[in-house]
Amino acid sequence: MTGILPIKKYGTHSAMTDFVEYSMLDQGELEEYVGFTEQEVRGLCRKYDMDFMEIKRWYDGYSFSRIKSVYNPNSVVNAIRKRKIGSYWTKTETYESLRIYVDMDMDGLKESVTRLIGGAQCSIDTAAFQNDMTSIQSRDDVLTLFVHLGYLAYDEEAETVSIPNEEIRLEFIRAVKNSKRKELVLRKKKETKMSTFRFGILGAANIAVKFCQAAALIAECEVCAVASKSLEKAEGFARDNGVAHAYGNYEELLDKEKPDCAYIAVTPHDHCRLAMLCIERGIPVLCEKAMFQNSAEAEQVFAAAAARGVFVMEAMWSRFLPAVKKVRAWVEEERIGIPEISQISIGFTAPEGNENRYRNPSLGGGAAKDITVYAYELTTWILNQDIRKINVSATWGESGVDMNNHISIDFTHTLADLTTSFAAKLESRMVLYGRKGKILLPTPHHSSECFLYDEKGELAEHFIDRDTVNGFTYEMEEVIRCIREGKQESPVVPWKDTMECARLFDRIAECNRERI
């Protein structure tokens, strides 16, 4: 028997007998044939020289009892064949009809969809589903139907659903934006006489796609143009993301468009140069992390920005996330007492190949500028204490970039331990220990929840971010607010914090010189 939906049920029984049925809820012995396995995808990425981590982010996410990573085979093949990572999800009649049920908001479905888009998991009861698209009676029926159609991943043990990957998440955002209930993702537009705020993007990178999606969620905000060293790439990006103008030259965009702010989305090796191009023209800057490779670059940019009175901010979006803000509030309120120990770890196995952005020193590769920047700037932001001493250790790969970082920080009241890796998959989390309990922040650089435990180890409070659709919106709103208020820097990501992180990079680089 084949088909997307299971066999139709009459009441609690199937309409047919004497058959073995397999579905997205019960794959049986056919688990490994539902899609590509991770081993298969790794092999394909090696064979066709594709970025495995990006393929994983876009097309992984389905997990069964034996096979923990199952990939969308159609999308993987299309991405490899076209050599372009993006959405290849088939737009079907079935999905169009499901928008009707989302609009009906059965049993709080609206809130559930919002949470799912924001990265949360939702509990679900699949038992009552009648296995068709006409007997939908509840929120759980709609979510179960999404599972069967492949739009949601189902965790059988936890009985929860989640959006499996970036490809599907974008489809949800598009669907909700076009539905009658746009308030799911659009912030309420207040009446204002202010003109639309215009961002120009320098660098047609994958991260800039998320930036465009965030701009669409903010009132009176737009991406007016994108530039790349390749005009063809810029034009393709503009076409795919609804950007009006494309340029094959950064200076041309800045001179012709004169945006209210330039978002720098290239790899770290070119951040300083592009920031200076903007500052020389009096154009404010929002620059991807890590903003600088070393303190010399930071000093050059901040001195120029101060002299010209131009706003500059590192795009440390994680500091604005509600879960991170909640952890910082718990620390300030001394809910666990003064933190005695802080531990944070972020790590994954970087894709092989010395030419990719992770391992190529010419592109500013290395763990420090990719993930240590998160560990450091989250730790300093949450603890908010003076630093008395820092000890730094690092190991280096064959390509010449740092693969593992270990930083010990002696704060005024807290000892902090930071571990990051491109060589091993670490448990990504931050834990703060105090005399009255502990705080846990899972996946700290993009977390949607946090946990507060009392001195007995019992859960006292569990915060879940149910509202965030795209975490970039918060930093973008901060940039707009600061620029309109005439500020040069943000109090959330001040220049001194970015400068201190750049000095940490100096220390990490010194480890390599000492090794040599």
Side-chain angles (χ1 to χ4, degrees):
M1 307 296 297
T2 62
I4 295 176
L5 294 178
I7 302 301
K8 170 71 178 143
K9 288 194 297 185
Y10 291 149
T12 59
H13 300 285
S14 171
M16 297 181 66
T17 59
D18 301 324
F19 67 92
V20 176
E21 183 174 14
Y22 304 94
S23 71
M24 290 296 286
L25 290 175
D26 185 7
Q27 312 83 25
E29 66 271 26
L30 302 181
E31 282 187 15
E32 62 188 295
Y33 304 108
V34 174
F36 286 158
T37 64
E38 183 150 307
Q39 182 179 1
E40 290 169 334
V41 173
R42 283 185 181 275
L44 288 169
C45 288
R46 284 195 296 268
K47 182 176 180 179
Y48 295 101
D49 192 26
M50 295 292 290
D51 187 333
F52 169 73
M53 293 305 297
E54 279 299 294
I55 291 286
K56 183 177 179 67
R57 184 171 73 90
W58 274 83
Y59 310 124
D60 185 17
Y62 302 99
S63 180
F64 306 139
S65 59
R66 290 183 298 105
I67 310 299
K68 297 304 181 183
S69 286
V70 178
Y71 292 68
N72 181 330
N74 178 68
S75 298
V76 170
V77 169
N78 272 295
I80 291 174
R81 182 168 56 85
K82 298 180 180 180
R83 304 203 61 78
K84 179 180 179 182
I85 295 175
S87 179
Y88 296 100
W89 193 259
T90 303
K91 311 295 191 301
T92 64
E93 290 271 342
T94 54
Y95 188 58
E96 293 296 323
S97 64
L98 286 177
R99 292 183 185 179
I100 298 173
Y101 300 115
V102 174
D103 278 340
M104 292 171 66
D105 192 22
M106 294 178 178
D107 306 326
L109 179 63
K110 178 178 70 172
E111 180 183 352
S112 297
V113 172
T114 303
R115 291 181 58 201
L116 288 166
I117 292 174
Q121 295 181 334
C122 291
S123 299
I124 182 176
D125 179 4
T126 63
F129 183 58
Q130 294 297 305
N131 299 352
D132 65 30
M133 298 186 64
T134 61
S135 304
I136 303 294
Q137 301 293 328
S138 67
R139 159 196 174 275
D140 286 347
D141 284 348
V142 177
L143 295 180
T144 304
L145 181 56
F146 270 120
V147 173
H148 285 300
L149 296 176
Y151 288 97
L152 291 177
Y154 179 62
D155 185 328
E156 183 178 6
E157 184 176 343
E159 296 186 335
T160 59
V161 291
S162 60
I163 293 177
N165 52 49
E166 181 68 9
E167 181 181 40
I168 303 301
R169 193 184 68 82
L170 297 184
E171 292 303 315
F172 265 99
I173 291 176
R174 292 189 185 107
V176 172
K177 283 179 65 179
N178 292 329
S179 75
K180 294 179 182 178
R181 293 187 176 271
K182 290 188 178 180
E183 67 269 22
L184 285 176
V185 293
L186 293 177
R187 297 176 180 275
K188 184 178 180 182
K189 291 191 175 185
K190 300 178 180 179
E191 290 189 5
T192 175
K193 295 182 179 179
M194 292 185 179
S195 60
T196 298
F197 192 94
R198 300 164 63 251
F199 280 101
I201 296 179
L202 306 185
N206 287 332
I207 198 168
V209 174
K210 185 173 182 178
F211 190 88
C212 289
Q213 293 161 358
L217 305 179
I218 301 173
E220 309 300 336
C221 176
E222 69 176 11
V223 174
C224 64
V226 60
S228 170
K229 288 182 289 186
S230 164
L231 178 59
E232 181 181 1
K233 185 175 181 180
E235 289 175 338
F237 181 96
R239 181 176 58 253
D240 293 343
N241 295 281
V243 178
H245 302 108
Y247 298 89
N249 179 283
Y250 300 122
E251 292 91 335
E252 186 179 8
L253 182 151
L254 297 173
D255 293 336
K256 288 187 176 180
E257 297 291 337
K258 295 180 172 56
D260 296 310
C261 181
Y263 169 62
I264 299 176
V266 300
T267 46
H269 76 288
D270 215 14
H271 286 178
C272 178
R273 183 181 73 87
L274 295 186
M276 291 300 294
L277 289 180
C278 297
I279 293 169
E280 290 165 1
R281 291 163 171 79
I283 294 174
V285 174
L286 173 64
C287 181
E288 261 310 320
K289 58 82 196 166
M291 189 169 183
F292 304 112
Q293 299 183 99
N294 50 58
S295 62
E297 290 184 350
E299 290 170 0
Q300 179 185 3
V301 168
F302 289 144
R308 292 292 303 270
V310 177
F311 175 87
V312 172
M313 188 181 100
E314 181 178 33
M316 183 44 62
W317 68 292
S318 304
R319 283 190 172 187
F320 297 90
L321 294 176
V324 172
K325 293 172 69 175
K326 175 59 70 173
V327 169
R328 191 172 195 256
W330 284 341
V331 170
E332 290 177 343
E333 295 163 5
E334 297 189 7
R335 296 288 297 276
I336 62 169
I338 296 174
E340 302 287 342
I341 299 293
S342 173
Q343 298 174 334
I344 187 170
S345 57
I346 305 172
F348 60 91
T349 304
E352 296 295 333
N354 294 342
E355 297 306 312
N356 64 52
R357 71 176 182 86
Y358 302 100
R359 297 175 183 265
N360 189 342
S362 298
L363 298 178
K369 293 181 281 293
D370 194 82
I371 49 180
T372 303
V373 60
Y374 281 123
Y376 180 82
E377 296 203 28
L378 284 174
T379 298
T380 54
W381 174 247
I382 288 172
L383 292 177
N384 194 26
Q385 300 175 22
D386 291 336
I387 295 175
R388 299 193 297 195
K389 186 172 72 171
I390 298 180
N391 291 317
V392 176
S393 300
T395 61
W396 298 77
E398 294 179 358
S399 67
V401 302
D402 56 302
M403 297 295 290
N404 300 293
N405 295 168
H406 181 254
I407 297 109
S408 298
I409 306 178
D410 183 356
F411 287 94
T412 304
H413 304 291
T414 306
L415 294 180
D417 184 87
L418 291 66
T419 306
T420 60
S421 179
F422 267 3
K425 185 176 181 180
L426 307 182
E427 183 177 4
S428 181
R429 66 176 191 169
M430 182 179 192
V431 187
L432 299 112
Y433 299 90
R435 295 184 180 183
K436 297 194 299 182
K438 72 175 182 180
I439 296 170
L440 170 62
L441 179 67
T443 57
H445 51 313
H446 56 88
S447 185
S448 60
E449 61 180 341
C450 52
F451 303 82
L452 175 66
Y453 296 89
D454 62 22
E455 63 271 20
K456 297 179 181 179
E458 296 178 354
L459 183 64
E461 190 171 337
H462 177 197
F463 171 82
I464 302 176
D465 175 13
R466 304 182 189 277
D467 301 319
T468 300
V469 175
N470 184 322
F472 281 16
T473 56
Y474 301 119
E475 68 176 2
M476 294 168 69
E477 289 171 335
E478 172 76 354
V479 168
I480 294 170
R481 180 187 66 81
C482 287
I483 291 173
R484 284 179 168 165
E485 292 179 2
K487 296 182 178 180
Q488 282 189 259
E489 57 183 306
S490 162
V492 180
V493 192
W495 293 356
K496 69 176 183 64
D497 288 7
T498 303
M499 174 65 77
E500 288 173 359
C501 190
R503 290 180 179 136
L504 175 65
F505 298 156
D506 292 347
R507 295 280 302 276
I508 293 171
E510 184 62 31
C511 291
N512 190 35
R513 286 191 287 271
E514 291 173 357
R515 178 180 66 89
I516 294 172

